[in-house]
Amino acid sequence: MTNAVDAVLAADRARAAALVARDAVALEGLLHEHLVYVHATGVKHDRAQLLQFLRGGPQFLSVHLQEPQVQLLADGVALVTGLLHMRLRREAGLAAVEVGSLASQVWLRASGSWRLVLFQSTKV
């Protein structure tokens, strides 16, 4: 793996950890200002909407991108695909559910950091 591939995968793992920890500050730092985030349900959020949704939305217990494939498309642009497995509670007090989807992500390197600019999830 190249250093760029390792860095993109590290950024995605940090995003997953921030979701589980409900760390909005860390998550915000990983999201590009022009983020387009499309959930497997078809709901679309921009960066501010996603952060607001996550403040009161589901509680992520685990988030794991299985066998991620990374393609470096240009200097500072990476496409990441893989099977996304999550365990979460949709609402407080409800039982945890397991969900899986095919995830496609576009990461951009800006000022030396990788930031997620596009996320698309499709139920499998």
Side-chain angles (χ1 to χ4, degrees), residues 26-109:
L27 188 59
E28 187 174 8
L30 293 163
L31 303 178
H32 193 276
E33 63 183 309
H34 298 296
L35 175 72
V36 175
Y37 195 102
V38 182
H39 299 266
T41 59
V43 173
K44 178 182 159 193
H45 285 135
D46 64 20
R47 182 181 186 210
Q49 291 167 331
L50 179 66
L51 291 168
Q52 180 62 34
F53 168 74
L54 293 173
R55 281 185 188 95
Q59 177 188 8
F60 293 92
L61 304 172
S62 66
V63 177
H64 176 70
L65 188 63
Q66 181 181 342
E67 298 180 20
Q69 301 294 309
V70 179
Q71 298 174 48
L72 299 174
L73 303 177
D75 186 37
V77 180
L79 171 63
V80 180
T81 58
L83 290 174
L84 182 62
H85 296 280
M86 298 184 295
R87 187 166 178 265
L88 58 99
R89 282 192 184 89
R90 296 193 191 277
E91 293 179 29
L94 292 181
V97 296
E98 304 268 340
V99 295
S101 63
L102 179 60
S104 299
Q105 306 173 28
V106 177
W107 290 82
L108 298 179
R109 186 173 50 222

